Every structure is written in structure tokens, then in C-alpha cells.
Amino acid sequence: MSHSSPATFLVWSIMTCLLGGFLLFHLWKFDRFKCLRPGNGPYAGAFKRLMTYTYLLSVPCITVYAVGFAIIKYREGLTFIPEFGIVPKPWQMWSQPHKSAILPLYLLFTVAWSLEMVTHLEELCFWLFLVNSGSVQQDWFRSLYFKTWMGGSLIAVIYMPLVTIFTRADPLKCEAFTFLAGSLGSLSLTLWFVPILWTFPTFLQGLKRNSVDMRTIVRLTTFHELNCLRVVFRLIFVVPLLVLAVDGIRPHQHINDTMFWTEFLTSISAIGCVISSGITLVIFFPRSVETEVQSRNATREKSVSRSRPAPRDSILSDDSSLASPDPQKRPASAMYSNSEAHAPRNEYPPLDSEQLVKARDLDVPVSGPKAVFSPNRRAASGIVIQGRVTPVAPTGLTERALEAHNQRTGTVHPFVHNFTSPIDLMDAAQQTRWYMRQQYGARAV
């Protein structure tokens, strides 16, 4: 776009700055930027940190590219060329500092585009893994899809900057080949999403037949609709740049020599790029407005209750009941020690046998489904009928414990039950440690 008008880069600058503002607003509303801290939350492993910083780094890179070229284009302005009329000043006539800034700005653009392909490839591989996993208890980090993402990410991060570096002698050819390499890679990833989106409603119907939690169904349905919308805007972003790239590498350009088509295609490409990146932000860091409202209300009620003084009569009655030697007259909370009164609530079931060992070492009782033992019996004919153990289905479980039991015994992959975001993933060891921490406190791990 070094031959395009200054207004084109102004559009890119405005759109990318709006994206940056939306990024800050969304992350602040999401968790007050806590997601940027290492080790925050149950899924805060190296994978989530890598995906988070990969996406967040691409936004400032594309913003600097757009703003930088907008400043250069407006400072250089327009010029009159006898055969072409008034056109943006060609790069050959720029001042030396502006010429020196062309390659660094192009490299920022290629880095941003390659990081965007890394995030899109991760989502593609994750959804393929999720749709094709079924009830197989396969770990994402040991699957073929994860290895494919690693290989494809390395290729994207390496080949995009190399294309820009090898063609840096001519900025126009450099721009054309950079657009060609990036648009072909992004277009292939976008087209691969189409079969997933086509089969995803059938996948959701299968989850409903398996009685998956309705909240999970709602989350997956929302992500399916967002992905459909994002595929459309990805095509709006990629196809115009592909058209300009193919025309730019030809000996005679027809589209790039026309000011209208150059500005039109680059402007709608900016719209598609920014909106698709914004949808990616919403998918990676999904907000729950209901939870946020409940949290604000709880905080407000807690602050009001603290500021309101307790009645004196109730304080005296509580003190007298605590001092009473009769245990029958004491409140229930005073009949136990502080550790007993605030002991974690035990739920069924632990995730695996390792948790049972840890809980046994900590003298923490772990409740589980009981079993009925039938002893050996001798029939009248003298034949011995062997006894057996018949497990009894758990009853009286809490909602969270029943959900955990369904996850263990169901025919759906656990990632479906625990799904919140394509980057909120953890391996089996992380899952065990987090479950024990939630059930029995930090001392359990």
C-alpha cells in the first residue's frame, strides 16, 4: 500500500486504534487485566500465556504499521506526474528517513499477520480436536492436532518475515509478495473452518442427546455463531489483499494503477481485519455479564453490611450464648473449632486415584459412591455361587458434584464440559492439582 493515498492509511489507523481501545476496555471488564498476569486462574499454563501474548502482541504491531505509514504519507503528500496527474508521491521521492522506515514497518506488519495466523491455526486445530474427539479421553497436548498447530505456527512465524526480507529491494514487490504470502495462508485457514462450522450443529445435537449441561450448550452455540461471523470478516480482510497481491506481482497492473479500486479494497480490508480481530478477542476472553452483575451486587451488599453497625442486644446475646457451658444452648458454629467450621466441603468424585492418595495422606475424608457386597452362597445342590460387588449410583449429590460424576461416566469428552475458551485448556496434571486445590485448599497440593 505504499502507492496508495494517505486516506487509506488514515482508515487503517482509525480502525486499528479503535481495536486497541476495545481491547483495553474488554480486558478491563473481563477481569481488570488479571488475565495478563502469569499464573492467574486454573488454566494459566505456558500454553495460555503463549496464546494470550501472541494475540495481544499482534494488535500493537498492526497499529504501529498503520499509524507509521499514515504519518509518512501525509508528510510526503501528493505530487504531479505528467503522465498520471496528481498522485501520492512515489516512494522513490521520499526523504531518506522515510525510506529507511519502510522495511521496519513492513516487518511489523508481517509479524502481526504471522501471529494472527498462529491464533487462527490454534482455533482450527482445537475445534477439529473437539468435534472429532467423541468420548475418547485424549489429551489435547498429546494429540496430533496440537503437534500440527506447533508445526504450522513455526512455519507461519518464519516464512512471513523471510518473504519480506528477501524482497526488500523493491518496496512495491515486497508489499505484493508479503500480501500474497499472508493472504494465501489466512485464506487456507479460513476455508478450513467452513467444514467445522457446517458440522457443528450436528455436534451440538449430539451433546444435547448426551444430556450435557445447558450452560455448556449455550456457550458452544454462542461460539459457533461468532465463528460464522468471523469467517465472513476474515474473507473481507483476506480476499481484497489477495486481489491486490496477484495484480501487483504481474508485469502490468490494472487494479493497482486505479486509485478507486486500490482505496476501496484496502479500506474494506481494514474493516474485515479489525472486526475479525475483535471477535477473536471476545472468543478468547469471553465475558459473563450475569456473573459481573452478581459480583457487583454482592460487593455492594457486603460494603453496606460492613458500614451498618450491629445491634447491641444481638451482640450481648451472642456473647452470652458463647459463654454458656451448656453445649445445647451454644450456636452451631461455636461447637466446632475454627478449622472445622470453615473446613472445605467434600464432594464426589475426585478425578483420579492420585487425588485419593493425596487426600488420604492429609486425613481428608473423601466421599464416594457406596457399593453393595454379596457374599458367596451355597445352593441346595451344593454349587457355590460366587459373590459380587454391585456399585450403587450416587444420590443426594450437590449440583457441582453431580456434574463431575456425569463428566467421569459420560460419553462426551471432558473438554466439552469444561469449555470456556479455546485457550483455557490444561493437561491432566494441572487438572488434578486444580481440583485438589479447589476441594481441599492450597495445602492439598
Side-chain angles (χ1 to χ4, degrees):
M1 289 185 289
S2 59
H3 60 289
S4 59
S5 66
T8 300
F9 282 101
L10 181 62
V11 172
W12 273 83
S13 300
I14 294 174
M15 296 298 296
T16 53
C17 289
L18 290 176
L19 175 62
F22 176 69
L23 171 68
L24 297 176
F25 169 80
H26 185 81
L27 294 183
W28 172 255
K29 286 292 185 179
F30 180 68
D31 61 355
R32 301 297 192 269
F33 302 118
K34 294 179 182 178
C35 58
L36 305 181
R37 304 174 186 173
N40 177 68
Y43 310 97
F47 176 75
K48 183 177 181 178
R49 290 198 299 270
L50 176 63
M51 295 306 303
T52 299
Y53 301 144
T54 295
Y55 171 76
L56 297 180
L57 184 61
S58 65
V59 176
C61 286
I62 192 70
T63 303
V64 173
Y65 162 79
V67 174
F69 264 119
I71 294 174
I72 293 175
K73 297 291 286 187
Y74 274 103
R75 286 184 176 178
E76 295 294 340
L78 306 177
T79 187
F80 176 77
I81 298 179
E83 296 181 1
F84 299 95
I86 300 176
V87 295
K89 185 181 292 186
W91 67 272
Q92 294 89 346
M93 302 173 63
W94 290 1
S95 61
Q96 187 58 40
H98 290 167
K99 289 182 181 179
S100 302
I102 294 177
L103 181 59
L105 292 176
Y106 277 160
L107 286 177
L108 283 176
F109 182 75
T110 56
V111 168
W113 205 339
S114 61
L115 294 180
E116 184 196 30
M117 285 194 285
V118 169
T119 58
H120 292 172
L121 180 60
E122 186 274 335
E123 287 188 82
L124 174 64
C125 294
F126 171 76
W127 290 115
L128 285 173
F129 169 81
L130 196 66
V131 171
N132 299 322
S133 60
S135 61
V136 180
Q137 305 295 314
Q138 186 181 10
D139 186 10
W140 154 255
F141 296 98
R142 295 175 177 84
S143 64
L144 179 62
Y145 300 99
F146 179 74
K147 297 176 182 178
T148 303
W149 169 75
M150 291 183 60
S153 299
L154 290 175
I155 294 175
V157 171
I158 293 175
Y159 95 93
M160 282 290 293
L162 287 181
V163 170
T164 303
I165 292 173
F166 290 154
T167 58
R168 65 183 184 276
D170 185 358
L172 296 180
K173 293 297 181 182
C174 176
E175 181 182 69
F177 281 102
T178 299
F179 285 178
L180 181 64
S183 57
L184 288 178
S186 294
L187 181 62
S188 60
L189 294 177
T190 303
L191 295 179
W192 267 105
F193 260 94
V194 175
I196 299 177
L197 299 179
W198 181 264
T199 59
F200 208 79
T202 306
F203 173 69
L204 293 176
Q205 292 296 329
L207 297 182
K208 294 178 182 178
R209 288 193 298 268
N210 285 279
S211 302
V212 175
D213 182 41
M214 185 53 61
R215 291 173 298 179
T216 303
I217 298 293
V218 171
R219 283 197 300 267
L220 290 173
T221 303
T222 303
F223 282 105
H224 174 250
E225 294 177 356
L226 288 175
N227 276 308
C228 291
L229 188 62
R230 186 175 54 173
V231 163
V232 175
F233 283 102
R234 280 187 189 174
L235 293 176
I236 295 176
F237 163 53
V238 171
V239 173
L241 296 185
L242 179 62
V243 172
L244 292 174
V246 173
D247 184 72
I249 63 176
R250 297 172 65 248
H252 302 284
Q253 291 84 25
H254 300 283
I255 298 177
N256 286 277
D257 289 341
T258 305
M259 184 64 66
F260 169 78
W261 287 112
T262 302
E263 293 188 355
F264 174 75
L265 292 177
T266 51
S267 298
I268 64 172
S269 177
I271 297 174
C273 175
V274 169
I275 296 181
S276 64
S277 297
I279 296 176
T280 301
L281 174 64
V282 175
I283 292 177
F284 276 11
F285 306 97
R287 290 176 55 192
S288 175
V289 180
E290 180 182 1
T291 304
E292 293 175 6
V293 172
Q294 292 175 354
S295 177
R296 284 198 297 266
N297 292 337
T299 303
R300 189 180 299 111
E301 292 175 0
K302 187 176 181 180
S303 61
V304 170
S305 62
R306 284 182 176 179
S307 61
R308 185 180 304 163
R312 182 175 181 79
D313 295 339
S314 62
I315 296 176
L316 293 176
S317 62
D318 291 342
D319 293 341
S320 60
S321 62
L322 289 174
S324 175
D326 188 0
Q328 299 296 331
K329 298 181 180 180
R330 299 172 62 186
S333 60
M335 298 179 64
Y336 304 94
S337 63
N338 186 52
S339 59
E340 292 172 342
H342 299 85
R345 181 174 58 187
N346 299 323
E347 293 185 7
Y348 169 82
L351 293 181
D352 51 27
S353 59
E354 181 183 350
Q355 298 172 17
L356 295 175
V357 174
K358 290 184 177 181
R360 193 179 300 116
D361 294 338
L362 297 166
D363 296 329
V364 178
V366 180
S367 61
K370 298 180 180 179
V372 176
F373 298 89
S374 300
N376 296 342
R377 295 183 292 111
R378 184 182 297 276
S381 59
I383 301 176
V384 177
I385 300 177
Q386 298 293 330
R388 61 179 181 174
V389 179
T390 305
V392 177
T395 57
L397 300 177
T398 63
E399 181 180 356
R400 201 173 82 180
L402 184 60
E403 182 181 352
H405 173 264
N406 293 337
Q407 293 180 22
R408 295 285 293 170
T409 60
T411 58
V412 180
H413 198 278
F415 274 9
V416 175
H417 294 282
N418 302 323
F419 176 79
T420 56
S421 169
I423 63 176
D424 280 344
L425 307 174
M426 58 182 175
D427 55 23
Q430 288 178 307
Q431 191 177 11
T432 300
R433 290 194 298 269
W434 175 251
Y435 183 87
M436 293 296 293
R437 187 183 297 112
Q438 288 293 98
Q439 295 295 106
Y440 310 115
R443 59 189 177 91
V445 291

